[in-house]
Short mmCIF file of all heavy atoms in Angstrom, two decimals:
data_model
loop_
_atom_site.label_atom_id
_atom_site.label_comp_id
_atom_site.label_asym_id
_atom_site.label_seq_id
_atom_site.Cartn_x
_atom_site.Cartn_y
_atom_site.Cartn_z
N TYR A 293 -20.00 9.87 6.08
CA TYR A 293 -20.23 8.49 5.67
C TYR A 293 -21.28 7.82 6.56
O TYR A 293 -22.18 7.12 6.07
CB TYR A 293 -18.92 7.70 5.72
CG TYR A 293 -17.98 8.05 4.59
CD1 TYR A 293 -17.23 9.23 4.60
CD2 TYR A 293 -17.84 7.21 3.49
CE1 TYR A 293 -16.38 9.55 3.56
CE2 TYR A 293 -16.99 7.52 2.44
CZ TYR A 293 -16.26 8.70 2.48
OH TYR A 293 -15.43 9.02 1.45
N LEU A 294 -21.16 8.04 7.85
CA LEU A 294 -22.13 7.45 8.77
C LEU A 294 -23.52 8.03 8.54
O LEU A 294 -24.53 7.33 8.67
CB LEU A 294 -21.69 7.69 10.22
CG LEU A 294 -20.40 7.00 10.64
CD1 LEU A 294 -20.00 7.42 12.05
CD2 LEU A 294 -20.55 5.49 10.55
N GLY A 295 -23.58 9.31 8.18
CA GLY A 295 -24.86 9.95 7.90
C GLY A 295 -25.58 9.30 6.73
O GLY A 295 -26.81 9.12 6.77
N LEU A 296 -24.83 8.93 5.70
CA LEU A 296 -25.44 8.26 4.55
C LEU A 296 -25.93 6.85 4.92
O LEU A 296 -26.99 6.42 4.45
CB LEU A 296 -24.43 8.18 3.40
CG LEU A 296 -24.10 9.51 2.71
CD1 LEU A 296 -22.97 9.33 1.72
CD2 LEU A 296 -25.33 10.07 2.01
N LEU A 297 -25.17 6.16 5.74
CA LEU A 297 -25.60 4.83 6.18
C LEU A 297 -26.90 4.91 6.98
O LEU A 297 -27.79 4.07 6.83
CB LEU A 297 -24.50 4.18 7.01
CG LEU A 297 -23.18 3.88 6.30
CD1 LEU A 297 -22.20 3.22 7.26
CD2 LEU A 297 -23.39 3.00 5.08
N LYS A 298 -27.00 5.93 7.80
CA LYS A 298 -28.23 6.13 8.59
C LYS A 298 -29.39 6.55 7.68
O LYS A 298 -30.51 6.07 7.82
CB LYS A 298 -27.99 7.19 9.66
CG LYS A 298 -27.03 6.75 10.75
CD LYS A 298 -26.77 7.89 11.74
CE LYS A 298 -25.77 7.48 12.81
NZ LYS A 298 -25.45 8.59 13.73
N LYS A 299 -29.11 7.44 6.75
CA LYS A 299 -30.15 7.97 5.88
C LYS A 299 -30.85 6.87 5.09
O LYS A 299 -32.07 6.91 4.89
CB LYS A 299 -29.54 9.00 4.93
CG LYS A 299 -30.54 9.63 3.96
CD LYS A 299 -29.86 10.69 3.08
CE LYS A 299 -30.85 11.30 2.10
NZ LYS A 299 -30.20 12.33 1.24
N TYR A 300 -30.07 5.89 4.64
CA TYR A 300 -30.64 4.82 3.81
C TYR A 300 -30.79 3.50 4.57
O TYR A 300 -30.87 2.43 3.98
CB TYR A 300 -29.78 4.65 2.56
CG TYR A 300 -29.86 5.88 1.67
CD1 TYR A 300 -28.84 6.82 1.66
CD2 TYR A 300 -30.99 6.12 0.89
CE1 TYR A 300 -28.92 7.96 0.88
CE2 TYR A 300 -31.07 7.26 0.10
CZ TYR A 300 -30.04 8.18 0.11
OH TYR A 300 -30.13 9.32 -0.67
N ASP A 301 -30.79 3.58 5.89
CA ASP A 301 -31.10 2.44 6.77
C ASP A 301 -30.11 1.28 6.61
O ASP A 301 -30.48 0.13 6.87
CB ASP A 301 -32.53 1.94 6.53
CG ASP A 301 -33.57 3.02 6.81
OD1 ASP A 301 -33.38 3.79 7.76
OD2 ASP A 301 -34.57 3.08 6.07
N LEU A 302 -28.89 1.55 6.21
CA LEU A 302 -27.93 0.46 6.08
C LEU A 302 -27.50 -0.09 7.44
O LEU A 302 -27.05 -1.23 7.53
CB LEU A 302 -26.69 0.91 5.29
CG LEU A 302 -26.76 0.61 3.78
CD1 LEU A 302 -27.76 1.54 3.11
CD2 LEU A 302 -25.39 0.74 3.14
N LEU A 303 -27.65 0.72 8.49
CA LEU A 303 -27.27 0.25 9.81
C LEU A 303 -28.22 -0.82 10.34
O LEU A 303 -27.96 -1.43 11.38
CB LEU A 303 -27.20 1.43 10.79
CG LEU A 303 -26.10 2.46 10.48
CD1 LEU A 303 -26.12 3.59 11.50
CD2 LEU A 303 -24.73 1.80 10.43
N ASP A 304 -29.31 -1.07 9.60
CA ASP A 304 -30.17 -2.21 9.93
C ASP A 304 -29.50 -3.52 9.52
O ASP A 304 -29.87 -4.59 10.02
CB ASP A 304 -31.52 -2.10 9.20
CG ASP A 304 -32.37 -0.95 9.73
OD1 ASP A 304 -32.08 -0.48 10.85
OD2 ASP A 304 -33.29 -0.52 9.02
N TYR A 305 -28.53 -3.44 8.59
CA TYR A 305 -27.93 -4.64 8.02
C TYR A 305 -26.42 -4.76 8.26
O TYR A 305 -25.85 -5.83 8.02
CB TYR A 305 -28.18 -4.67 6.51
CG TYR A 305 -29.62 -4.41 6.15
CD1 TYR A 305 -29.97 -3.34 5.34
CD2 TYR A 305 -30.64 -5.22 6.64
CE1 TYR A 305 -31.30 -3.09 5.01
CE2 TYR A 305 -31.96 -4.98 6.32
CZ TYR A 305 -32.29 -3.91 5.51
OH TYR A 305 -33.61 -3.66 5.20
N VAL A 306 -25.78 -3.69 8.70
CA VAL A 306 -24.33 -3.73 8.94
C VAL A 306 -24.03 -3.11 10.30
O VAL A 306 -24.85 -2.38 10.86
CB VAL A 306 -23.55 -2.96 7.85
CG1 VAL A 306 -23.91 -3.47 6.45
CG2 VAL A 306 -23.78 -1.45 7.95
N SER A 307 -22.86 -3.39 10.81
CA SER A 307 -22.37 -2.73 12.02
C SER A 307 -21.02 -2.09 11.72
O SER A 307 -20.24 -2.62 10.91
CB SER A 307 -22.24 -3.71 13.18
OG SER A 307 -21.33 -4.73 12.88
N ILE A 308 -20.75 -0.95 12.31
CA ILE A 308 -19.51 -0.23 12.06
C ILE A 308 -18.38 -0.81 12.90
O ILE A 308 -18.51 -0.95 14.12
CB ILE A 308 -19.68 1.27 12.37
CG1 ILE A 308 -20.84 1.85 11.58
CG2 ILE A 308 -18.39 2.02 12.05
CD1 ILE A 308 -20.72 1.72 10.09
N SER A 309 -17.29 -1.14 12.26
CA SER A 309 -16.15 -1.71 12.97
C SER A 309 -15.47 -0.66 13.83
O SER A 309 -15.25 0.47 13.40
CB SER A 309 -15.13 -2.27 11.97
OG SER A 309 -13.92 -2.60 12.63
N ASP A 310 -15.13 -1.06 15.06
CA ASP A 310 -14.31 -0.21 15.92
C ASP A 310 -13.06 -0.98 16.37
O ASP A 310 -12.44 -0.65 17.37
CB ASP A 310 -15.10 0.29 17.13
CG ASP A 310 -15.66 -0.86 17.98
OD1 ASP A 310 -15.43 -2.03 17.63
OD2 ASP A 310 -16.31 -0.57 19.00
N SER A 311 -12.71 -2.02 15.61
CA SER A 311 -11.57 -2.87 15.94
C SER A 311 -10.43 -2.65 14.96
O SER A 311 -10.58 -1.98 13.93
CB SER A 311 -11.99 -4.35 15.89
OG SER A 311 -13.07 -4.61 16.78
N SER A 312 -9.29 -3.23 15.27
CA SER A 312 -8.15 -3.17 14.35
C SER A 312 -8.44 -4.02 13.12
O SER A 312 -9.31 -4.90 13.13
CB SER A 312 -6.89 -3.70 15.05
OG SER A 312 -7.01 -5.10 15.29
N LEU A 313 -7.70 -3.78 12.05
CA LEU A 313 -7.87 -4.57 10.83
C LEU A 313 -7.59 -6.04 11.12
O LEU A 313 -8.30 -6.93 10.62
CB LEU A 313 -6.92 -4.07 9.74
CG LEU A 313 -6.89 -4.88 8.45
CD1 LEU A 313 -8.27 -4.96 7.81
CD2 LEU A 313 -5.86 -4.30 7.47
N GLU A 314 -6.58 -6.31 11.93
CA GLU A 314 -6.24 -7.69 12.24
C GLU A 314 -7.38 -8.40 12.97
O GLU A 314 -7.69 -9.56 12.70
CB GLU A 314 -4.96 -7.74 13.08
CG GLU A 314 -3.71 -7.29 12.34
CD GLU A 314 -3.53 -5.79 12.29
OE1 GLU A 314 -4.33 -5.06 12.93
OE2 GLU A 314 -2.61 -5.32 11.60
N GLU A 315 -8.02 -7.70 13.90
CA GLU A 315 -9.17 -8.27 14.62
C GLU A 315 -10.31 -8.54 13.64
O GLU A 315 -10.97 -9.59 13.71
CB GLU A 315 -9.63 -7.31 15.72
CG GLU A 315 -8.68 -7.17 16.89
CD GLU A 315 -8.81 -8.32 17.88
OE1 GLU A 315 -9.77 -9.11 17.75
OE2 GLU A 315 -7.94 -8.43 18.76
N ASP A 316 -10.54 -7.60 12.75
CA ASP A 316 -11.62 -7.77 11.76
C ASP A 316 -11.36 -8.95 10.85
O ASP A 316 -12.28 -9.72 10.51
CB ASP A 316 -11.78 -6.50 10.93
CG ASP A 316 -12.47 -5.37 11.70
OD1 ASP A 316 -13.09 -5.66 12.73
OD2 ASP A 316 -12.38 -4.21 11.26
N LEU A 317 -10.12 -9.13 10.42
CA LEU A 317 -9.79 -10.24 9.53
C LEU A 317 -9.88 -11.59 10.25
O LEU A 317 -10.29 -12.59 9.66
CB LEU A 317 -8.39 -10.05 8.94
CG LEU A 317 -8.25 -8.94 7.91
CD1 LEU A 317 -6.79 -8.74 7.53
CD2 LEU A 317 -9.09 -9.22 6.67
N ALA A 318 -9.50 -11.60 11.50
CA ALA A 318 -9.59 -12.85 12.28
C ALA A 318 -11.04 -13.25 12.50
O ALA A 318 -11.32 -14.43 12.75
CB ALA A 318 -8.87 -12.68 13.62
N GLY A 319 -11.96 -12.29 12.38
CA GLY A 319 -13.36 -12.58 12.66
C GLY A 319 -14.25 -12.62 11.45
O GLY A 319 -15.46 -12.37 11.55
N CYS A 320 -13.70 -12.90 10.25
CA CYS A 320 -14.53 -12.95 9.05
C CYS A 320 -14.11 -14.12 8.17
O CYS A 320 -13.04 -14.72 8.35
CB CYS A 320 -14.45 -11.64 8.27
SG CYS A 320 -12.91 -11.42 7.34
N CYS A 321 -14.97 -14.44 7.19
CA CYS A 321 -14.64 -15.49 6.23
C CYS A 321 -14.43 -14.93 4.82
O CYS A 321 -14.04 -15.65 3.91
CB CYS A 321 -15.74 -16.56 6.20
SG CYS A 321 -17.38 -15.94 5.77
N GLY A 322 -14.72 -13.64 4.63
CA GLY A 322 -14.54 -13.02 3.33
C GLY A 322 -14.46 -11.52 3.45
O GLY A 322 -14.95 -10.93 4.43
N VAL A 323 -13.83 -10.89 2.47
CA VAL A 323 -13.67 -9.43 2.45
C VAL A 323 -14.29 -8.88 1.18
O VAL A 323 -13.93 -9.28 0.07
CB VAL A 323 -12.19 -9.01 2.52
CG1 VAL A 323 -12.07 -7.49 2.51
CG2 VAL A 323 -11.53 -9.59 3.76
N ILE A 324 -15.25 -7.95 1.34
CA ILE A 324 -15.95 -7.34 0.21
C ILE A 324 -15.47 -5.90 0.03
O ILE A 324 -15.31 -5.18 1.01
CB ILE A 324 -17.47 -7.31 0.44
CG1 ILE A 324 -17.98 -8.68 0.89
CG2 ILE A 324 -18.21 -6.86 -0.81
CD1 ILE A 324 -19.44 -8.66 1.31
N SER A 325 -15.28 -5.48 -1.21
CA SER A 325 -14.94 -4.08 -1.46
C SER A 325 -15.08 -3.75 -2.93
O SER A 325 -15.15 -4.65 -3.79
CB SER A 325 -13.51 -3.79 -1.00
OG SER A 325 -13.23 -2.41 -1.08
N LEU A 326 -15.12 -2.45 -3.21
CA LEU A 326 -15.07 -1.99 -4.60
C LEU A 326 -13.63 -2.10 -5.10
O LEU A 326 -13.35 -2.67 -6.15
CB LEU A 326 -15.54 -0.54 -4.72
CG LEU A 326 -17.04 -0.25 -4.69
CD1 LEU A 326 -17.67 -0.62 -3.35
CD2 LEU A 326 -17.29 1.22 -4.99
N GLN A 327 -12.72 -1.50 -4.34
CA GLN A 327 -11.28 -1.54 -4.58
C GLN A 327 -10.62 -1.37 -3.23
O GLN A 327 -10.86 -0.38 -2.56
CB GLN A 327 -10.82 -0.38 -5.47
CG GLN A 327 -11.01 -0.53 -6.93
CD GLN A 327 -10.37 0.63 -7.68
OE1 GLN A 327 -9.88 1.58 -7.10
NE2 GLN A 327 -10.38 0.56 -8.99
N SER A 328 -9.82 -2.31 -2.80
CA SER A 328 -9.19 -2.14 -1.51
C SER A 328 -8.06 -3.13 -1.31
O SER A 328 -8.16 -4.30 -1.68
CB SER A 328 -10.21 -2.34 -0.38
OG SER A 328 -9.59 -2.26 0.89
N THR A 329 -6.98 -2.64 -0.71
CA THR A 329 -5.89 -3.53 -0.31
C THR A 329 -6.37 -4.57 0.69
O THR A 329 -5.80 -5.65 0.79
CB THR A 329 -4.77 -2.70 0.34
OG1 THR A 329 -4.41 -1.63 -0.52
CG2 THR A 329 -3.54 -3.55 0.60
N THR A 330 -7.43 -4.24 1.43
CA THR A 330 -7.94 -5.16 2.44
C THR A 330 -8.37 -6.48 1.83
O THR A 330 -8.34 -7.52 2.49
CB THR A 330 -9.11 -4.51 3.21
OG1 THR A 330 -8.69 -3.24 3.71
CG2 THR A 330 -9.55 -5.37 4.39
N MET A 331 -8.78 -6.48 0.56
CA MET A 331 -9.12 -7.74 -0.09
C MET A 331 -7.88 -8.63 -0.22
O MET A 331 -7.95 -9.85 -0.04
CB MET A 331 -9.76 -7.49 -1.45
CG MET A 331 -11.16 -6.88 -1.36
SD MET A 331 -12.02 -6.84 -2.95
CE MET A 331 -11.07 -5.59 -3.83
N TYR A 332 -6.75 -8.03 -0.55
CA TYR A 332 -5.51 -8.80 -0.60
C TYR A 332 -5.10 -9.22 0.80
O TYR A 332 -4.64 -10.36 1.01
CB TYR A 332 -4.40 -7.98 -1.24
CG TYR A 332 -3.09 -8.73 -1.30
CD1 TYR A 332 -2.87 -9.70 -2.27
CD2 TYR A 332 -2.10 -8.49 -0.37
CE1 TYR A 332 -1.68 -10.41 -2.31
CE2 TYR A 332 -0.90 -9.19 -0.40
CZ TYR A 332 -0.70 -10.15 -1.37
OH TYR A 332 0.48 -10.86 -1.40
N ASP A 333 -5.25 -8.33 1.79
CA ASP A 333 -4.96 -8.69 3.17
C ASP A 333 -5.75 -9.93 3.58
O ASP A 333 -5.22 -10.84 4.22
CB ASP A 333 -5.33 -7.54 4.11
CG ASP A 333 -4.48 -6.30 3.89
OD1 ASP A 333 -3.37 -6.44 3.35
OD2 ASP A 333 -4.93 -5.20 4.25
N GLY A 334 -7.03 -9.94 3.20
CA GLY A 334 -7.86 -11.09 3.52
C GLY A 334 -7.35 -12.35 2.84
O GLY A 334 -7.29 -13.41 3.45
N TYR A 335 -6.95 -12.22 1.59
CA TYR A 335 -6.48 -13.38 0.83
C TYR A 335 -5.27 -14.04 1.49
O TYR A 335 -5.20 -15.27 1.61
CB TYR A 335 -6.14 -12.95 -0.60
CG TYR A 335 -5.49 -14.04 -1.41
CD1 TYR A 335 -6.24 -15.10 -1.93
CD2 TYR A 335 -4.12 -14.01 -1.66
CE1 TYR A 335 -5.63 -16.10 -2.67
CE2 TYR A 335 -3.51 -15.01 -2.40
CZ TYR A 335 -4.27 -16.05 -2.91
OH TYR A 335 -3.67 -17.04 -3.64
N VAL A 336 -4.30 -13.22 1.92
CA VAL A 336 -3.07 -13.80 2.47
C VAL A 336 -3.29 -14.44 3.84
O VAL A 336 -2.42 -15.18 4.31
CB VAL A 336 -1.92 -12.76 2.55
CG1 VAL A 336 -1.54 -12.26 1.18
CG2 VAL A 336 -2.27 -11.61 3.48
N VAL A 337 -4.43 -14.17 4.48
CA VAL A 337 -4.72 -14.83 5.76
C VAL A 337 -5.90 -15.79 5.63
O VAL A 337 -6.56 -16.13 6.61
CB VAL A 337 -4.97 -13.80 6.89
CG1 VAL A 337 -3.72 -12.99 7.17
CG2 VAL A 337 -6.14 -12.88 6.57
N GLY A 338 -6.19 -16.23 4.41
CA GLY A 338 -7.15 -17.29 4.20
C GLY A 338 -8.60 -16.88 4.08
O GLY A 338 -9.50 -17.71 4.23
N LYS A 339 -8.89 -15.60 3.78
CA LYS A 339 -10.25 -15.12 3.60
C LYS A 339 -10.54 -14.91 2.11
O LYS A 339 -9.64 -14.57 1.34
CB LYS A 339 -10.48 -13.81 4.36
CG LYS A 339 -9.89 -13.79 5.76
CD LYS A 339 -10.50 -14.84 6.67
CE LYS A 339 -9.85 -14.79 8.05
NZ LYS A 339 -10.44 -15.76 8.99
N THR A 340 -11.79 -15.07 1.71
CA THR A 340 -12.15 -14.94 0.30
C THR A 340 -12.35 -13.48 -0.10
O THR A 340 -13.22 -12.80 0.45
CB THR A 340 -13.45 -15.71 0.00
OG1 THR A 340 -13.28 -17.08 0.35
CG2 THR A 340 -13.82 -15.60 -1.47
N PRO A 341 -11.56 -12.95 -1.05
CA PRO A 341 -11.82 -11.59 -1.56
C PRO A 341 -13.05 -11.60 -2.47
O PRO A 341 -13.19 -12.50 -3.32
CB PRO A 341 -10.56 -11.25 -2.36
CG PRO A 341 -9.55 -12.30 -1.99
CD PRO A 341 -10.35 -13.51 -1.64
N ILE A 342 -13.94 -10.62 -2.31
CA ILE A 342 -15.14 -10.50 -3.14
C ILE A 342 -15.16 -9.09 -3.74
O ILE A 342 -15.35 -8.11 -3.03
CB ILE A 342 -16.42 -10.74 -2.32
CG1 ILE A 342 -16.35 -12.11 -1.63
CG2 ILE A 342 -17.66 -10.64 -3.21
CD1 ILE A 342 -17.42 -12.32 -0.57
N VAL A 343 -14.92 -8.99 -5.03
CA VAL A 343 -14.83 -7.70 -5.72
C VAL A 343 -16.21 -7.30 -6.23
O VAL A 343 -16.84 -8.04 -6.99
CB VAL A 343 -13.84 -7.78 -6.89
CG1 VAL A 343 -13.75 -6.43 -7.60
CG2 VAL A 343 -12.47 -8.22 -6.41
N ILE A 344 -16.67 -6.12 -5.84
CA ILE A 344 -17.94 -5.59 -6.33
C ILE A 344 -17.72 -4.88 -7.65
O ILE A 344 -16.92 -3.95 -7.75
CB ILE A 344 -18.57 -4.62 -5.32
CG1 ILE A 344 -18.92 -5.38 -4.03
CG2 ILE A 344 -19.81 -3.95 -5.90
CD1 ILE A 344 -19.51 -4.49 -2.95
N LYS A 345 -18.41 -5.35 -8.67
CA LYS A 345 -18.31 -4.76 -10.00
C LYS A 345 -19.50 -3.83 -10.25
O LYS A 345 -20.55 -3.97 -9.65
CB LYS A 345 -18.31 -5.86 -11.07
CG LYS A 345 -17.21 -6.90 -10.90
CD LYS A 345 -15.88 -6.37 -11.34
CE LYS A 345 -14.83 -7.48 -11.38
NZ LYS A 345 -13.52 -7.01 -11.85
N GLY A 346 -19.33 -2.89 -11.18
CA GLY A 346 -20.42 -2.03 -11.59
C GLY A 346 -20.41 -0.64 -10.99
O GLY A 346 -21.22 0.21 -11.38
N LEU A 347 -19.51 -0.39 -10.06
CA LEU A 347 -19.44 0.94 -9.43
C LEU A 347 -18.13 1.65 -9.74
O LEU A 347 -17.95 2.81 -9.39
CB LEU A 347 -19.60 0.80 -7.91
CG LEU A 347 -20.93 0.20 -7.44
CD1 LEU A 347 -20.92 0.02 -5.93
CD2 LEU A 347 -22.10 1.08 -7.86
N THR A 348 -17.23 0.94 -10.40
CA THR A 348 -15.93 1.50 -10.75
C THR A 348 -15.62 1.23 -12.23
O THR A 348 -16.29 0.42 -12.87
CB THR A 348 -14.79 0.87 -9.92
OG1 THR A 348 -14.67 -0.51 -10.29
CG2 THR A 348 -15.08 0.97 -8.43
N ARG A 349 -14.61 1.90 -12.72
CA ARG A 349 -14.10 1.53 -14.03
C ARG A 349 -13.58 0.10 -13.96
O ARG A 349 -13.16 -0.37 -12.91
CB ARG A 349 -12.95 2.47 -14.43
CG ARG A 349 -13.37 3.89 -14.72
CD ARG A 349 -12.25 4.67 -15.42
NE ARG A 349 -11.02 4.70 -14.64
CZ ARG A 349 -9.86 4.24 -15.05
NH1 ARG A 349 -9.75 3.66 -16.23
NH2 ARG A 349 -8.78 4.33 -14.29
N THR A 350 -13.61 -0.59 -15.09
CA THR A 350 -13.13 -1.96 -15.13
C THR A 350 -11.64 -2.00 -14.82
O THR A 350 -10.85 -1.21 -15.33
CB THR A 350 -13.38 -2.58 -16.52
OG1 THR A 350 -14.77 -2.54 -16.80
CG2 THR A 350 -12.90 -4.02 -16.56
N TYR A 351 -11.27 -2.91 -13.93
CA TYR A 351 -9.87 -3.08 -13.60
C TYR A 351 -9.61 -4.55 -13.29
O TYR A 351 -10.54 -5.33 -13.08
CB TYR A 351 -9.47 -2.22 -12.40
CG TYR A 351 -10.08 -2.68 -11.09
CD1 TYR A 351 -9.40 -3.57 -10.25
CD2 TYR A 351 -11.32 -2.23 -10.67
CE1 TYR A 351 -9.95 -3.99 -9.06
CE2 TYR A 351 -11.88 -2.64 -9.48
CZ TYR A 351 -11.19 -3.52 -8.67
OH TYR A 351 -11.74 -3.94 -7.49
N GLU A 352 -8.34 -4.93 -13.23
CA GLU A 352 -7.97 -6.31 -12.96
C GLU A 352 -7.50 -6.45 -11.52
O GLU A 352 -6.56 -5.79 -11.09
CB GLU A 352 -6.85 -6.77 -13.90
CG GLU A 352 -6.41 -8.21 -13.68
CD GLU A 352 -5.25 -8.61 -14.55
OE1 GLU A 352 -4.72 -7.73 -15.26
OE2 GLU A 352 -4.87 -9.79 -14.51
N PHE A 353 -8.20 -7.31 -10.76
CA PHE A 353 -7.74 -7.66 -9.42
C PHE A 353 -7.00 -8.98 -9.56
O PHE A 353 -7.61 -10.01 -9.85
CB PHE A 353 -8.93 -7.78 -8.46
CG PHE A 353 -8.53 -7.99 -7.03
CD1 PHE A 353 -7.97 -6.96 -6.29
CD2 PHE A 353 -8.69 -9.23 -6.42
CE1 PHE A 353 -7.59 -7.15 -4.97
CE2 PHE A 353 -8.31 -9.44 -5.10
CZ PHE A 353 -7.76 -8.38 -4.37
N THR A 354 -5.68 -8.95 -9.39
CA THR A 354 -4.84 -10.06 -9.81
C THR A 354 -4.85 -11.26 -8.86
O THR A 354 -4.44 -12.36 -9.23
CB THR A 354 -3.39 -9.59 -9.97
OG1 THR A 354 -2.92 -9.04 -8.73
CG2 THR A 354 -3.30 -8.51 -11.04
N THR A 355 -5.32 -11.07 -7.64
CA THR A 355 -5.38 -12.16 -6.67
C THR A 355 -6.63 -13.00 -6.91
O THR A 355 -7.68 -12.46 -7.25
CB THR A 355 -5.40 -11.58 -5.24
OG1 THR A 355 -4.20 -10.84 -5.03
CG2 THR A 355 -5.50 -12.67 -4.20
#
Side-chain angles (χ1 to χ4, degrees):
Y293 286 77
L294 294 175
L296 289 173
L297 296 181
K298 292 176 182 177
K299 180 177 179 180
Y300 294 101
D301 300 323
L302 266 72
L303 295 180
D304 291 342
Y305 311 120
V306 306
S307 61
I308 304 301
S309 169
D310 58 0
S311 302
S312 68
L313 175 59
E314 293 82 7
E315 290 280 349
D316 285 343
L317 289 173
C320 75
C321 59
V323 180
I324 311 173
S325 187
L326 282 65
Q327 279 186 354
S328 177
T329 308
T330 307
M331 290 190 290
Y332 179 78
D333 295 337
Y335 173 76
V336 297
V337 296
K339 317 298 179 178
T340 302
I342 304 168
V343 180
I344 296 178
K345 304 284 189 178
L347 299 175
T348 66
R349 291 193 302 121
T350 301
Y351 69 92
E352 180 184 6
F353 186 72
T354 58
T355 299

